[in-house]
Each structure stands twice: as C-alpha cells, then as structure tokens.
Amino acid sequence: MAYEFSLPGRTIIGDNALESSENLIKSFGKKAFIISGKNVTKIGTVKVLTDYLYKWGIKYEIFNDIIGEPTDVMIKSGVNAYKNTECDFCIAIGGGSPLDSGKAIAAMTKLEGSISDYMGKTMEGDFPPLVLIPTTAGTGSEATKFTVITDSKKNIKMLLKGEALLPDLAVIDSKFSMTSPRSVTAATGMDALTHAVEAYTSRKANSLTDTFALSAIKRIFEFLPLVYKDGEDKKAREEMAIAAYEAGVCINNSSVTLVHGMSRPIGANFHVAHGISNAMLITKCLSYVLDGSYERFGAIGRAINAADEKKSDKEAAEAFLEKLIQLCNICEIPTLKEYGINKEEFNKVVDKMAQDAMNSGSPSNTIRDITKEDLLTIYNRLW
Ligand SMILES: [Zn+2]
C-alpha cells in the first residue's frame, strides 16, 4: 500500500548548525517571535540565539511564558502576544514544551476559536514560518506534525496534528543540549527510544520508518549510557541529537502506540514529565505485547547486538527486553512509588486514565490487539 513520508521543510544539523542557518532564517522575515521557557532563557541559551539575530539584522520579541508542559491558556497568551508585536515568523527554542508551543502558537495566529476546538481534527492553513531549535535530545518535536497541549478544563493532554505544523526549518545543533541536566538527559533520551521502538512495532510501520527506527535505537543504546555518565561527552551528545531527530521522523510517519497512549494520562493527572512517564511504562508495556510479534522485537534485539542470527526471534526479543531493563536501571528511572505518587489517588483515576488512553487512539496502533482491560492490567503492574 502506498504511504506518505514527510519531513521538516528544511533541516540543518551538525556543528554550528545555527550559524549555517543565517540565510534561511533571514528569508523568513524581519522580526522573529521567540517562544521559549524561563529556564532556557535564564541559562543563556536564548541569548545565543538573539545575539545571532541581532548580528543578522533581525528584530525579535521574546515570549518565555511556557512553564512546564504547555496548556491551552499559555497558547492563548502567546497568540495574543504575537498579534501585538507585529512579528512575521516564529522561532521556538527549548525542550519539547516550547517547541510544541511554537507549533500551536504559529497555527492559532491564523485559525479561529480555541486550540481545544481542533482536537481530533487536522490543523491546516497558511501559518507564519516556523523555526524549531531543540535544546534536549529527546522529544523529536522538531521533526513532527504533532503538538501535545493540555486542555486545562478537561485535564487531558490533547494530541493535535496537521502537516502544516511541521517546521519550515529544524536546526539541530548539539551545542544547545550540552547543558541539559542528567535527569532531563535520561528522560528525553528514553522518550526518543520509546518513539523509535513504538514506531518500529506499530501497525503503521513502513520501510522508511523502519530504517530511521533501527538507526535511532542503535544510537540510543550505545550513547545514552555514555551521555548520562558524562554530560560533556560531545560525541555522545551529537549522536543523541541525531537519534532524537530520527526517532521524531519515525513517529511523524509511523505512530506511537501503547506506551505513549498510557503515558499521557499519567502526565496529565500526576504532572510527571513526559519522558519519565514513558520510561516508567516502557518495559511493562513491551513485555505485555512482546508475544504479539517476536519477529519485530527480535529484529531490534539483533540490531543492538543483544542476540545473534542463531537465536530464535523469541530469544532475540527477550534479549532486547533484558537490555531495555538494564538501560532503565542505568538511567535510574523511578517507579510511580519512588516518584511520590499516591496509590490511592492513582486508583481513583485509573479507570478514566485507561479510557483517555484508549480514546487517544495510540494503543490501537500496537501490533497486538489491546483493550481497556489490558491497559488497567498494565497500570496495576506499575505498582
Ligand atoms: Zn514522546
């Protein structure tokens, strides 16, 4: 069956990628609306960007009110700020939250109503040019047509989509992720791994996403332990930045599955960072679905050299799971209890979480048939 494969309009990746983006960025307009978070601003990352813009003769306004994961309220105030400042394009810089906000703000400057109106629909239109500059190696938001925004009234994380949300330019320069703290490095690295594994074992997987997925998985198993141990390992940072982009391309063109479906409700209800809630779930979810396709999971096991050709698919799949558990241990991924979540509070909302997860559609992309009962079983196994 034919399928579509899409990427950011342009991508500049590698050493000094920002410097190399001068002409493209100049072509987008004379005044940039910079979307970021307070931390990224405080540690001087935004200043690196604004120094270049100044040098290139581009004016700018900074909107750094993205605090934690973005909500409909933050997006609305970003749109108002954009409209009041006569900017002609957007640059979002930071982790997944500012990048997702950049997509949502750019879109809502042109669309009617509130962002919640677009849940389950396609966001399309002629939006202002958008540049995305990730400062963590993980979410892959720079390579996707998705944005996740919390509806603050309903307390759900909305997954919104549209080809027009893909950036016109993605700038991937590992100098921006060098300062990422260890806990963020682990969470975002595990998020990227989850993207690649889910895309590879999704019903929507295709030959092109398979190539990107296996490449990302290999890089992450090799370089995440290194960068977790030594954040100044430049080579490891570069490899993780490439892996995060590759994994983003995967979910853009295949899909996430069970882990992300179940992770979003944990994030929405208990304010667990996205990468951590994925990492809490990944081994439990994958061991649950492993027998749905030993062939696919076995191929991952062989790709990361956890098993050789002589091993059966089942053995190779189990060897992959073993390596995954080891990686979670190396990265010191907490359990729900260690994270401080109260079991009674969790049980009060677990039924709604399972329903929200099913409603998101992600679990049904899993290679094995998944019901709401299955999700409840897995949620219980987290304790
Ligand atoms: Zn993710």
Side-chain angles (χ1 to χ4, degrees), residues 43-332:
I43 62 171
T45 307
V46 173
K47 188 167 183 301
V48 175
L49 169 66
T50 52
D51 283 350
Y52 277 104
L53 295 180
Y54 179 77
K55 204 165 108 188
W56 299 337
I58 296 172
K59 292 192 188 115
Y60 58 84
E61 289 287 337
I62 300 174
F63 175 77
N64 64 5
D65 290 351
I66 306 302
I67 299 153
E69 297 185 348
T71 66
D72 45 0
V73 179
M74 295 178 208
I75 300 309
K76 195 169 177 212
S77 80
V79 170
N80 289 340
Y82 181 91
K83 287 181 175 168
N84 288 331
T85 50
E86 293 177 344
C87 292
D88 27 41
F89 69 108
C90 296
I91 303 179
I93 181 167
S97 297
L99 267 45
D100 274 7
S101 304
K103 295 175 189 178
I105 290 170
M108 292 311 294
T109 63
K110 293 289 163 101
L111 296 174
E112 300 285 321
S114 137
I115 188 144
S116 302
D117 302 339
Y118 294 88
M119 196 178 161
K121 295 181 193 156
T122 301
M123 299 181 88
E124 52 193 344
D126 188 12
F127 307 149
L130 176 65
V131 181
L132 298 181
I133 309 176
T135 61
T136 59
T139 68
S141 179
E142 68 277 11
T144 78
K145 59 189 169 200
F146 304 108
T147 177
V148 177
I149 307 292
T150 298
D151 180 321
S152 52
K153 285 196 201 86
K154 293 186 190 144
N155 209 22
I156 47 169
K157 283 192 171 191
M158 302 181 287
L159 175 65
L160 303 149
K161 63 176 193 299
E163 291 291 331
L165 297 178
L166 272 165
D168 297 270
L169 171 65
V171 179
I172 294 114
D173 188 329
S174 65
K175 74 164 161 280
F176 289 115
S177 62
M178 290 301 288
T179 49
S180 180
R182 277 182 100 210
S183 59
V184 175
T185 300
T188 52
M190 288 304 297
D191 187 28
L193 180 65
T194 311
H195 294 159
V197 173
E198 291 197 275
Y200 191 75
T201 56
S202 162
R203 289 175 198 257
K204 292 183 178 164
N206 60 58
S207 310
L208 291 178
T209 57
D210 285 353
T211 306
F212 278 83
L214 290 180
S215 174
I217 293 167
K218 280 196 268 189
R219 278 184 219 279
I220 296 167
F221 270 96
E222 184 174 353
F223 292 102
L224 180 56
L226 296 181
V227 79
Y228 186 68
K229 204 162 78 187
D230 175 13
E232 287 176 21
D233 185 335
K234 188 164 182 282
K235 161 90 175 147
R237 287 284 190 199
E238 282 168 3
E239 294 288 334
M240 284 303 296
I242 297 170
Y245 180 87
E246 289 174 322
V249 170
C250 289
I251 50 170
N252 191 47
N253 295 287
S254 172
S255 76
V256 290
T257 60
L258 181 66
V259 186
H260 271 71
M262 293 182 68
S263 172
R264 285 183 218 107
I266 294 181
N269 285 280
F270 299 98
H271 308 286
V272 182
H274 175 70
I276 295 288
S277 54
N278 283 333
M280 285 168 165
L281 281 158
I282 188 169
T283 56
K284 294 283 183 294
C285 287
L286 296 187
S287 59
Y288 197 82
V289 300
L290 210 61
D291 64 0
S293 175
Y294 286 127
E295 191 206 336
R296 285 255 127 188
F297 288 105
I300 299 176
R302 292 190 191 95
I304 60 168
N305 291 324
D308 58 25
E309 296 301 325
K310 289 186 210 114
K311 294 266 193 272
S312 69
D313 286 342
K314 184 168 184 285
E315 286 168 322
E318 284 161 356
F320 156 63
L321 195 64
E322 200 51 48
K323 282 271 182 201
L324 184 63
I325 293 168
Q326 281 172 19
L327 186 62
C328 288
N329 289 337
I330 292 170
C331 292
E332 300 171 276

Side-chain angles (χ1 to χ4, degrees), residues 17-28:
L18 180 60
E19 290 83 333
S20 308
S21 307
E22 178 178 352
N23 289 338
L24 263 174
I25 293 180
K26 278 180 178 168
S27 75
F28 294 138

